[in-house]
Amino acid sequence: MTELFRYSFFLLILETGSIQNIPLDVLYLVKNNTELSAFRSFHESLLHRGISLNALPMFLDLAQPFASVSKFTTQLVSPDLIVMSSQVCGSLATGSWLDGISVPHVCHHDGSVDRTSFLIDIFAKKCLQNSRPEILSTTQCLESLKLQPEPDMILGSLVSGLQWSHVTIFFEDRMDAIVTSVSTQVSQLNVQCSMYRVNVNHTDEEIYDLIKRAVSLLPVSERNFLILCDGTCGRRFLDQADRLDDRETAIYMMSAWLLLVSMEDYTMLEDVHYKLDNVAALLLPSLILPYGNIMQATNSCSDGHLVTLLHRPTSRQWSPVGYVGKSGQMIVPDAIFPNKDYGFNKRKLQIVTILLYPFAMKNSTLENDTYTGICLDLLQELASSFNFTYEVSEPADGEYGRILNGSWTGVVGMLERQDIDMAVAPLTVTQEREKVMDFVYPYYYDTGAALYKLPDKMSKKWLTLIRPFKWEVFLCLGMVFIGMTFLLSGMEFVNIRKKKLPMTAADILGSSVWHISGTFFRHGSNSLPKSSPGRILISFVWLFCIIMVAAYSGNLIAFLTVSKNYPPFKTLAEVTEQTDYTWGTDGGSMWTTLFQTSNRSDYKKIWQGIMNHNRSNSEVLSLNQGLHRSHVEDGSYIFIFDRDVIDIWSLDNCNLILLEETFYQITYAVGLPQNSPYGRLISEKMLKIEQSGLLQIWRSRWWPKGSGCAGKTQVQAKIIELIDLQSAFYFLGVGLCTALLVLMGERLRQCCT
């Protein structure tokens, strides 16, 4: 029925010139309450537009049509227009009755207006008076009348076409009728609807708070907004929406704004520089809006346009994407929000990174600083995929991020404060950091490790003769030597007393010492023990010594002919037990937090050692990677950090070695401010990058090619040098000194006697 009302309304305008503040009498003939409800809705919408109608509805009893018509005749008070439903209009009694009166009337047949049912001669004169100069005939004038669209129907059609699951409506008081109709239509489409009422007394800050509250209550996928107010009000809403923090809300990229604006108010929106990507406006003649100028609209030849705000190289410009057809339908050949297909639409993002070879390196010139590395290749791929530009910087304190005096430092602190849009750096994912920021899908996997310099091989060459056995073995051999000597002496002493041989206890002990020592050193003895038990014992000692000497000789040959430097420790626990090396780590990295807060005993000891070393040397927690490397190369220093990074250092220095134990699996990931709406979008892209093999290509591009230590770490035979046998000369010197002392002792005893 709305098309009938609309057409009738326009004819009334022609007849009266202007209907504002002029009461009109309309008789509406209906057959039931359903048709009556439709008429009342139309009546209320006209009242909101400032149009006053004296409406008189009457029911036509189709069972007794002639009796009803007779009743109409007695009650009729000369109306300005009679509006009838299709069934009423088709009644024979109604037709006969209309033939006897001279009142303009309109019928509704199958959803369209029967224009021939109007009394042409009544409207012809007024039509020609209000028509354009090029219209010369009555027929042309009547045919030039256009059915103006209903804004609520068009908006409902647009929301349906956009496939929104939720729409938030901001509207003025005078838009109540349209809002009620739109909300009803979208509800029938299973579209959820939220509504916020505003008026001219609202300040900009109140509007800003209203938009911010509405945005905070909506997930990213449901941030669709419909603004129903005049041009000035619509401009204020866009101004305040543009103020929202995009790092927190992603309002620029992940929201859609649709305005209902009269064509006369369009000029208020022409000069705009909004950062909001998705803004469209439905421009309709002010005649059908509750705040337009009627006389201006009656001469308008445009039914309505749909325009969208596009990004241009230097500014934002409105561009048409659809129009309203003569039938009142919305025709949209192009996308209403085309900017959605272009990501960030070349918006500049602030990116932070941190220098760490080969992930991020800086090349400084007099003009500017350029960054290269794996992270920068990743950043360029993201920028290309999401259509943004970027500016790269570094944290002022040079730290990755740790808690210092209750606040986060470095990259993590910048993300927590939302000073930057994104961190593309070798930033490790930790549970503590995820409390104040967001990580996307990881792009690199690594473990913790420790790098140190092997001790100087020459410094322990004098231990060559004792290195084949551990000290426990030598201790046991000494105990066997002493035990066997006293046991053999006991056996010999019992045998001598039994045979009453002329030997003292001292002679027996000395003889036993020489028997056992000759056995141990494989030079034998001039005599055998006197007793049978002693001979049996000495034979088994000989067998024992043969086995021990063979094992010792084999190991000694290996130590002398093969050059190999054994690591002094293999695990973190062993590191904490030794005192020859000090250790440290990057003071601004996650390792500081890990060792400081962990409950593992070895981690606790590592942190305690760092604190002890820090008292005498603050450089153990330096942020300068080069300083740590210098200490490692100088020796007696262990640097604990990410394994792959410090492993590169050992490629150029063959004396540097990694701790055999690896610990604590780590991952690198791109960082975003907490609760960033872009997290899922970038994570999906990171997964595609990983599956495409791009990360391996970037790694092969920047990772060092080969090692200068190739072949040097292989086990290979070597010629025995004098320094390898220096311990033998030391033992010879010890023997010589011992012999001289004994000689001096004997001479001294002779002199005394």
Side-chain angles (χ1 to χ4, degrees), residues 245-247 252 275 344 346-354 371 376 379 382-383 388-395 411 414-425 670-673 676 678 682:
D245 188 352
D246 185 62
R247 290 170 182 164
Y252 298 160
K275 298 178 183 177
F344 288 88
K346 294 297 181 182
R347 199 156 40 249
K348 179 179 284 189
L349 303 186
Q350 296 298 319
I351 309 297
V352 69
T353 191
I354 197 161
Y371 294 85
L376 277 299
L379 175 59
L382 293 176
F388 65 82
T389 60
Y390 55 85
E391 182 178 354
V392 181
S393 61
E394 303 170 46
V411 175
M414 296 176 73
L415 288 170
E416 181 189 24
R417 297 186 299 272
Q418 297 186 355
D419 295 338
I420 55 173
D421 296 295
M422 189 186 306
V424 184
V670 172
L672 298 172
S676 172
Y678 304 125
I682 298 179

Side-chain angles (χ1 to χ4, degrees), residues 73-360:
T73 305
T74 59
Q75 296 180 359
L76 185 63
V77 187
S78 186
D80 296 307
L81 178 69
I82 298 176
V83 180
M84 298 171 290
S85 65
S86 58
Q87 293 191 25
V88 171
C89 190
S91 170
L92 180 61
T94 306
S96 300
W97 173 59
L98 291 174
D99 290 339
I101 62 175
S102 298
V103 178
H105 56 276
V106 62
C107 297
H108 183 263
H109 294 292
D110 299 326
S112 62
V113 176
D114 183 4
R115 302 189 183 193
T116 62
S117 64
F118 288 100
L119 299 178
I120 302 300
D121 56 339
I122 295 178
F123 293 100
K125 186 176 180 180
K126 287 290 184 182
C127 182
L128 290 174
Q129 289 176 353
N130 291 278
S131 64
R132 296 187 299 275
E134 61 269 20
I135 297 179
L136 302 177
S137 67
T138 302
T139 303
Q140 289 179 340
C141 180
L142 293 177
E143 287 297 323
S144 67
L145 297 175
K146 296 183 179 180
L147 300 180
Q148 297 293 336
E150 286 287 345
D152 51 353
M153 302 294 292
I154 298 175
L155 290 173
S157 174
L158 281 178
V159 172
S160 174
L162 289 169
Q163 297 182 343
W164 285 350
S165 61
H166 186 281
V167 59
T168 301
I169 303 176
F170 299 105
F171 66 98
E172 288 183 310
D173 295 337
R174 49 186 172 174
M175 301 292 286
D176 282 348
I178 294 179
V179 171
T180 302
S181 178
V182 170
S183 62
T184 302
Q185 291 182 59
V186 298
S187 298
Q188 294 174 353
L189 298 170
N190 295 323
V191 178
Q192 295 181 350
C193 183
S194 302
M195 294 180 287
Y196 297 88
R197 184 189 302 271
V198 296
N199 56 58
V200 294
N201 296 323
H202 275 79
T203 64
D204 288 346
E205 287 303 318
E206 288 175 333
I207 293 178
Y208 174 82
D209 293 337
L210 182 65
I211 297 174
K212 186 175 182 180
R213 183 170 69 254
V215 170
S216 66
L217 297 175
L218 295 172
V220 172
S221 60
E222 297 181 0
R223 292 178 179 174
N224 308 307
F225 302 96
L226 181 59
I227 302 177
L228 304 180
C229 57
D230 61 21
T232 302
C233 172
R235 179 72 181 252
R236 291 177 64 194
F237 264 93
L238 292 181
D239 288 341
Q240 301 312 311
D242 207 54
R243 290 177 50 198
L244 291 178
D245 188 352
D246 185 62
R247 290 170 182 164
E248 179 181 353
T249 63
I251 194 69
Y252 298 160
M253 177 182 176
M254 297 187 176
S255 67
W257 302 80
L258 179 61
L259 288 76
L260 178 61
V261 183
S262 70
M263 292 182 177
E264 289 72 30
D265 286 344
Y266 172 59
T267 55
M268 298 181 183
L269 300 176
E270 286 186 335
D271 184 21
V272 292
H273 302 281
Y274 297 124
K275 298 178 183 177
L276 298 171
D277 288 336
N278 307 302
V279 181
L282 177 60
L283 309 178
L284 296 178
S286 59
L287 169 66
I288 63 173
L289 298 178
Y291 49 78
N293 184 297
I294 296 295
M295 293 307 294
Q296 290 179 355
T298 55
N299 295 325
S300 173
C301 60
S302 175
D303 294 330
H305 299 283
L306 182 63
V307 295
T308 190
L309 194 57
L310 295 181
H311 286 275
R312 299 302 186 189
T314 58
S315 63
R316 302 290 299 276
Q317 293 181 6
W318 294 99
S319 177
V321 291
Y323 61 94
V324 180
K326 291 186 177 181
S327 63
Q329 295 180 344
M330 191 72 230
I331 301 173
V332 186
D334 299 317
I336 299 177
F337 299 112
N339 292 330
K340 282 189 173 182
D341 298 330
Y342 298 97
F344 288 88
N345 289 280
K346 294 297 181 182
R347 199 156 40 249
K348 179 179 284 189
L349 303 186
Q350 296 298 319
I351 309 297
V352 69
T353 191
I354 197 161
L355 301 182
L356 183 68
Y357 180 84
F359 294 93

